[in-house]
Amino acid sequence: MYRRLIRPVLYRLGRGDAEVAHEQTLHGLRRLSRIPGAVPALNRLYGSLPAGLERTVFGVRFPSPVGLAAGMDKNGLALPAWRALGFGFVEVGTVTAHPQPGNEKPRLFRLVESEAVINRMGFNNEGSEALARRLEAYGDFGYPLGISIGKSKVTPLEDAVGDYVTSLQRLYRFGDYFAVNVSSPNTPGLRSLQDSGHLRELLTALHTEAKTLTPGGRAPKPILVKIAPDLTEPAIDELLGVCTDVGVAGIIATNTTIGRSGLAPADEWQAEETGGLSGRPLTEISAKTVAQINASTNGALPIIGVGGILDPDDALRLFDAGASLVQLYSGLIYRGPGLVRRTNRALTRMGTR
């Protein structure tokens, strides 16, 4: 039904502008969640989770290991609806200390034959203070909430640490874990924060602040690092060394790629669009990166695998490579919410691996 009826309509919104479809979908889910009985009805259709999917990772209990990746619901507009679509957790953001409009439009492109997306959104969001107000107004979601934090574009690179810490302070009581985004290709200079010196300073400051914000006797909330798929193997190992030294709770692998391999011939004309590429071209890259992280850390560091999941087998491959959890984004655009249900069922049949 999604591919034959819903997807063609979404693709025509805004004269084919992918960002218009994205925003309309979010606002539609938000409105739906406010209609009495709508979320329970949606939950009966998509959200009923098979038994045995629960797992605890970095001290957080997840009703299902299949989550929604950051970028889909940056400002937390539709949070009550995502659980009803079958997600076991949701990551909002990436959010920055300062509100920002993001890059010039158009900035989101579908590469349909490749089942891929190019985005150069640029952390468009309402800011961490606005997100904190919205989260305070919500009740319990029924799932863990991750919050992805990044650097504001107006903040100089030398002041990046303070920018991240400000967002952590504002949002700490609302998140079950925090993802440190140092790997988006759409904020100038951001990926340099993956370098060992910058990363160590940033993570140390965040861990110190998390301890300050945590009530006495309790462990600080988990902090994870989201990495780029374009790092070399030595660079990944160096980054993992820093993460292990500082006590990072896990790695999110991976963000979008600046590479353009794996595109169908019909989509190659869009290859020159700047921004990060996601979807099917990331399937192999993400699995390889997850496997390297797992091998390099002897399985000691939990991994959230994300990138190129368009059918349940793609998710299973990430679990086999060493992921503890997975996240979807581009797969929803091409396969719809049924992908979540099918992935949950496949995990049950395979013993959740």
Side-chain angles (χ1 to χ4, degrees):
M1 183 177 69
Y2 174 79
R3 291 196 202 185
R4 293 180 180 179
L5 299 177
I6 299 175
R7 195 173 78 174
V9 173
L10 290 175
Y11 283 14
R12 286 195 294 268
L13 290 175
R15 297 183 177 180
D17 187 328
E19 187 171 354
V20 172
H22 184 173
E23 294 300 322
Q24 290 293 326
T25 300
L26 278 180
H27 288 289
L29 287 172
R30 186 185 191 186
R31 288 191 293 270
L32 189 68
S33 68
R34 294 173 174 175
I35 299 173
V39 168
L42 194 64
N43 188 67
R44 286 191 294 272
L45 184 62
Y46 289 110
S48 180
L49 296 177
L53 285 177
E54 303 88 353
R55 61 178 60 186
T56 298
V57 184
F58 41 77
V60 178
R61 181 186 174 278
F62 295 86
S64 160
V66 182
L68 181 70
M72 181 63 74
D73 193 357
K74 287 183 170 71
N75 296 304
L77 296 177
L79 289 177
W82 295 117
R83 174 63 188 84
L85 291 177
F87 287 104
F89 65 105
V90 171
E91 193 173 304
V92 296
T94 293
V95 64
T96 54
H98 299 283
Q100 54 188 40
N103 294 323
E104 185 178 350
K105 298 179 182 181
R107 55 194 181 183
L108 185 64
F109 308 90
R110 299 185 203 96
L111 286 68
V112 177
E113 294 299 317
S114 306
E115 292 188 300
V117 174
I118 291 176
N119 94 82
R120 50 172 179 265
M121 305 297 287
F123 289 169
N124 57 308
N125 74 103
E126 297 172 359
S128 54
E129 190 171 3
L131 179 60
R133 288 195 300 268
R134 180 167 289 123
L135 294 177
E136 190 168 26
Y138 283 127
D140 178 46
F141 301 119
Y143 56 73
L145 180 70
I147 301 177
S148 175
I149 56 177
K151 185 188 82 68
S152 306
K153 187 174 182 178
V154 297
T155 301
L157 197 60
E158 58 268 23
D159 297 329
V161 171
D163 206 65
Y164 281 89
V165 168
T166 294
S167 291
L168 184 72
Q169 291 169 336
R170 291 170 175 169
L171 296 165
Y172 191 75
R173 65 192 177 103
F174 303 109
D176 292 286
Y177 73 85
F178 291 86
V180 182
N181 189 342
V182 289
S183 52
S184 169
N186 300 319
T187 296
L190 185 78
R191 284 190 167 192
S192 67
L193 294 175
Q194 294 177 115
D195 298 343
S196 59
H198 289 309
L199 187 63
R200 186 180 299 275
E201 179 187 7
L202 173 59
L203 294 178
T204 299
L206 289 171
H207 273 276
T208 300
E209 187 62 29
K211 291 177 182 177
T212 301
L213 295 168
T214 304
R218 297 177 60 183
K221 294 182 178 180
I223 293 176
L224 289 75
V225 174
K226 188 167 187 174
I227 69 170
D230 308 305
L231 295 174
T232 63
E233 290 188 9
I236 291 175
D237 287 339
E238 185 177 17
L239 180 148
L240 292 174
V242 173
C243 291
T244 302
D245 290 346
V246 177
V248 162
I251 300 292
I252 302 175
T254 63
N255 212 318
T256 57
T257 178
I258 58 174
R260 292 294 183 265
S261 61
L263 296 182
D267 295 324
E268 288 179 352
W269 66 275
Q270 294 194 80
E272 293 186 4
E273 293 285 359
T274 59
L277 176 72
S278 61
R280 177 58 74 197
L282 266 183
T283 303
E284 296 288 340
I285 301 171
S286 295
K288 180 180 177 182
T289 305
V290 168
Q292 183 191 342
I293 295 168
N294 187 56
S296 296
T297 62
N298 293 315
L301 198 60
I303 305 165
I304 299 179
V306 55
I309 300 176
L310 284 101
D311 58 54
D313 284 344
D314 298 327
L316 294 176
R317 288 180 63 196
L318 288 177
F319 283 114
D320 287 342
S324 300
L325 307 165
V326 296
Q327 293 176 328
L328 310 179
Y329 185 150
S330 299
L332 289 178
I333 297 171
Y334 290 104
R335 305 297 172 89
L339 175 61
V340 189
R341 180 176 55 191
R342 291 194 301 275
T343 303
N344 281 323
R345 289 177 176 176
L347 287 171
T348 302
R349 289 194 299 270
M350 300 303 294
T352 68
R353 301 211 176 181

